[in-house]
Amino acid sequence: MAHVQRMSRLMAKTLRDDPADAETVNHKLLVRAGYVRRNAAGLWSWLPLGKKVFDNVSRIVREEMDAIGAQEVLLPALLPREPYETSGRWDEYGDLLFRVKDRKGGDYLLGPTHEEIFTQVVKDQCTSYKDLPVILYQIQTKYRDEARPRAGVLRGREFQMKDSYSFDTTDEGLAASYALHREAYQKIFRRLGLDYRIVSAVSGAMGGSASEEFLAPAAAGEDTFVHCSACDYAANTEAVTFTAPPAADAAAHGPVEELDTPDTPTIESLAGHLGVPASATLKNLLVKVDGEITAVGVPGDREVDLGKLGEHLAPAVVELVTAEDFEDRPDLVRGYVGPQGLEKVRYLADPRVAPGTSWITGANKRDKHARNVVCGRDFDVDQYLDVVVVETGDPCPRCGAGLRLDRAIEIGHIFQLGRKYADAFQLDVLDQNGKPARVTMGSYGIGISRAVASLAEQTADEQGLCWPREVAPADVHVVAAGKALQTELALDVAEQLGEAGVRVLVDDRAGVSPGVKFTDAELIGVPTILIVGRRAGDGVVELKDRRTGEREELPVADAIARVTG
């Protein structure tokens, strides 16, 4: 027998208006429909209806993780400093990490992710190759001190996540564990009813090699991804690569020519002054990488993607130079920096700044630029990195067709970590010959609260939420139009459905108008609505499909059979 929840006893206060600070669909509707309530910036309480959806998402994730042989554990959220110092992430996480002290002055943190702790658990429990492979997972609260929590439960300072970790003795075993997770994730997101894309990604602070993201396209998404209409290529913008043009003949260009360019510190002003396209100029952005001034060269018509640059250089900290930095380096002339003749400055460049290409760029003198500055002849690149902001129409790395950009929510991420954490914690097992063998790891995450928010974003309509059946807080929402006869019949129908194993939400509230009840049913978003209305005396009710709006009047017995069938 399934649970029958009466709305007369349900703690769920619906609202007619959107919260004043809400900008995204999930924020507006989850609050208005009584699923969540805000406690502070980035901190949310899950109310009974919201907890049901949350638990349904968690159940699906558990079922599919168990199906691949993963074992569930629960590790603490309050963690000691030492393991994160061992891995280097106590410092790498920077301001994102919640740091706390106990009464004795000991340092702790609220876990943002648990690679270190799982590694320690396996080191303690697994000593032989016969103990592996093993996959462990948990559904746990995570913490990140976001500077600007936004979009309701989508980007909070406290959030719920399924994180799993695989431990293998060989790279082939890691690849197999990765493939198991990839397939399991596809099953999970299909069961959840999410529209999603699998895209290539970068590992960033997580470390490791192979990495893919699962993205749910949505206007509220904080990620931008690219996809190709001519092939199946898709990637996070930070993972898009550009094939460098072949090296050109430097001798084909004339000598460097210094130009008088007063009051032209920007690419726009320089291109206008000389009457050339911005693409003919070389932009040199100065940043500090772990405090060391570094120049980044890109074509003048492109922008440097600082996020992409940071991912490439992680765990180093990347920040823009300040006016004070220029005061300390008089050889760096603000607005007129060129790569030729730079001293004590590392020079990074986008692959478009290829050997033999000629540029107009700063002459390292105020109000002066230089023409015919040739890469490989007049300056050298210390390291090539794909660092420009990807634009619509850029060539697909796979087939060369134009790329398209869309917004999406990251709902899952899988990594082949390799031996980064095993090396840090000396995680070895004895192999077949009794010799120590270093373990290799994978890390795999799904945002549970993010999945709820993503479903709200993707499935809502103008009337409210519209949950897929497997995650909805109930299978059917029975609405009594208001009169005693209607309420009595509604409760009887609800009990029969509950006895048949159907999860029921029944609106038996007294003193609430039929119009408010119908509006709330649309807002709450249960997939099937059963209305006990004007024909209750004839034993006839109305079934409504929440998503399509299709309605049908049926005798009570037939309606019950339809819902349970």
Side-chain angles (χ1 to χ4, degrees):
M1 179 174 176
H3 178 61
V4 175
Q5 175 65 61
R6 294 189 179 197
M7 287 191 69
S8 60
R9 300 173 185 171
L10 177 67
M11 191 180 74
K13 181 179 180 181
T14 58
L15 305 175
R16 299 280 75 84
D17 299 319
D18 296 331
D21 61 338
E23 297 177 352
T24 58
V25 170
N26 87 86
H27 188 174
K28 295 173 183 177
L29 294 182
L30 289 175
V31 172
R32 284 184 52 206
Y35 283 75
V36 299
R37 283 294 183 270
R38 180 181 180 273
N39 299 103
L43 300 176
W44 293 86
S45 293
W46 293 83
L47 303 183
L49 288 177
K51 185 62 165 55
K52 288 179 183 293
V53 175
F54 178 93
D55 287 346
N56 286 333
V57 172
S58 300
R59 172 183 52 79
I60 291 169
V61 171
R62 279 193 173 94
E63 289 173 357
E64 296 300 337
M65 291 304 299
D66 292 346
I68 64 171
Q71 302 173 65
E72 185 173 7
V73 298
L74 182 60
L75 303 188
L78 178 65
L79 303 170
R81 171 178 179 166
E82 289 75 17
Y84 288 80
E85 278 203 323
T86 299
S87 68
R89 294 205 296 177
W90 176 265
D91 295 319
E92 288 172 17
Y93 261 107
D95 293 338
L96 278 176
L97 203 62
F98 275 106
R99 295 171 168 86
V100 298
K101 286 184 180 290
D102 67 8
R103 66 181 65 194
K104 297 179 181 179
D107 287 319
Y108 291 81
L109 66 137
L110 297 177
T113 181
H114 277 67
E115 280 77 6
E116 290 85 349
I117 312 304
F118 272 87
T119 304
Q120 289 184 321
V121 168
V122 172
K123 183 178 175 69
D124 177 69
Q125 297 291 314
C126 300
T127 57
S128 167
Y129 74 95
K130 295 178 181 178
D131 299 324
L132 302 181
V134 66
I135 298 172
L136 302 175
Y137 78 96
Q138 65 174 347
I139 294 177
Q140 171 66 287
T141 303
K142 308 290 187 180
Y143 301 88
R144 290 178 189 167
D145 192 1
E146 296 283 356
R148 290 175 294 278
R150 57 175 293 273
V153 299
L154 188 58
R155 193 175 187 87
R157 305 172 86 188
E158 176 187 271
F159 55 96
Q160 289 70 38
M161 180 176 170
K162 185 284 302 178
D163 52 325
S164 57
Y165 304 88
S166 63
F167 299 84
D168 291 272
T169 56
T170 65
D171 293 340
E172 292 77 14
L174 170 58
S177 295
Y178 184 92
L180 282 174
H181 277 85
R182 195 177 194 273
E183 183 177 355
Y185 276 32
Q186 294 178 74
K187 291 179 179 178
I188 288 168
F189 296 132
R190 283 197 294 266
R191 287 183 63 184
L192 292 178
L194 279 166
D195 176 25
Y196 70 94
R197 306 286 186 275
I198 304 175
V199 305
S200 301
V202 293
S203 298
M206 296 291 291
S209 53
S211 174
E212 291 176 297
E213 288 178 347
F214 291 75
L215 301 180
E222 72 276 31
D223 278 25
T224 302
F225 75 102
V226 301
H227 56 102
C228 178
S229 56
C231 70
D232 61 354
Y233 177 80
N236 186 299
T237 54
E238 295 174 353
V240 176
T241 58
F242 174 79
T243 302
D249 182 9
H253 305 289
V256 174
E257 176 187 355
E258 190 172 283
L259 306 172
D260 186 28
T261 54
D263 299 320
T264 57
T266 67
I267 293 296
E268 183 180 10
S269 59
L270 174 64
H273 179 80
L274 296 177
V276 298
S279 59
T281 68
L282 180 63
K283 179 186 297 182
N284 301 287
L285 179 70
L286 295 182
V287 298
K288 289 186 293 186
V289 180
D290 281 345
E292 178 187 351
I293 292 182
T294 301
V296 184
V298 301
D301 62 337
R302 306 302 292 256
E303 298 296 330
V304 175
D305 187 331
L306 290 175
K308 199 172 183 179
L309 179 64
E311 292 286 359
H312 279 302
L313 299 178
V317 176
V318 178
E319 53 189 341
L320 293 172
V321 297
T322 63
E324 290 75 17
D325 295 316
F326 280 100
E327 291 176 4
D328 295 336
R329 291 289 301 271
D331 57 313
L332 301 177
V333 184
R334 193 170 192 172
Y336 298 90
V337 172
Q340 69 285 7
L342 279 182
E343 296 182 359
K344 298 180 181 178
V345 175
R346 185 181 179 208
Y347 195 75
L348 311 178
D350 186 78
R352 295 166 179 82
V353 187
T357 53
S358 177
W359 304 92
I360 299 170
T361 191
N364 298 309
K365 300 177 184 177
R366 187 165 302 281
D367 295 333
K368 300 289 184 180
H369 282 83
R371 192 197 311 269
N372 297 330
V373 178
V374 179
C375 180
R377 184 191 73 181
D378 305 308
F379 68 94
D380 294 313
V381 175
D382 294 312
Q383 184 180 1
Y384 280 104
L385 296 173
D386 285 289
V387 293
V388 300
V389 174
V390 179
E391 297 178 355
T392 298
D394 278 350
C396 171
R398 185 171 297 166
C399 72
L403 292 173
R404 296 177 55 188
L405 276 72
D406 278 309
R407 304 291 295 175
I409 300 166
E410 181 185 335
I411 50 176
H413 207 153
I414 55 178
F415 304 85
Q416 290 189 32
L417 290 178
R419 294 173 173 82
K420 173 181 177 179
Y421 295 93
D423 286 341
F425 292 91
Q426 298 183 336
L427 174 57
D428 296 325
V429 295
L430 295 180
D431 65 14
Q432 295 93 327
N433 301 313
K435 304 280 185 159
R438 186 61 37 103
V439 172
T440 185
M441 292 173 56
S443 175
Y444 318 89
I446 288 179
I448 304 294
S449 44
R450 276 176 163 265
V452 175
S454 300
L455 281 166
E457 292 286 338
Q458 286 191 344
T459 63
D461 57 21
E462 293 182 357
Q463 283 71 46
L465 298 163
C466 194
W467 301 108
R469 187 171 301 278
E470 196 161 2
V471 301
D475 296 311
V476 60
H477 187 154
V478 177
V479 179
K483 295 180 180 179
L485 174 64
Q486 295 164 336
T487 300
E488 182 180 348
L489 180 56
L491 290 172
D492 180 60
V493 169
E495 289 300 322
Q496 291 185 60
L497 290 171
E499 290 174 358
V502 177
R503 298 171 300 136
V504 182
L505 178 65
V506 55
D507 195 343
D508 62 332
R509 293 175 293 176
V512 178
S513 71
V516 169
K517 289 185 176 182
F518 298 149
T519 299
D520 281 350
E522 300 280 357
L523 178 62
I524 290 169
V526 172
T528 299
I529 302 172
L530 190 155
I531 302 168
V532 181
R534 58 186 177 82
R535 297 193 62 190
D538 301 326
V540 175
V541 297
E542 181 180 304
L543 279 182
K544 178 180 178 181
D545 186 285
R546 171 66 185 85
R547 178 166 300 283
T548 66
E550 294 178 358
R551 298 170 178 264
E552 185 177 5
E553 288 190 339
L554 294 168
V556 169
D558 292 348
I560 292 173
R562 179 75 60 83
V563 172
T564 58

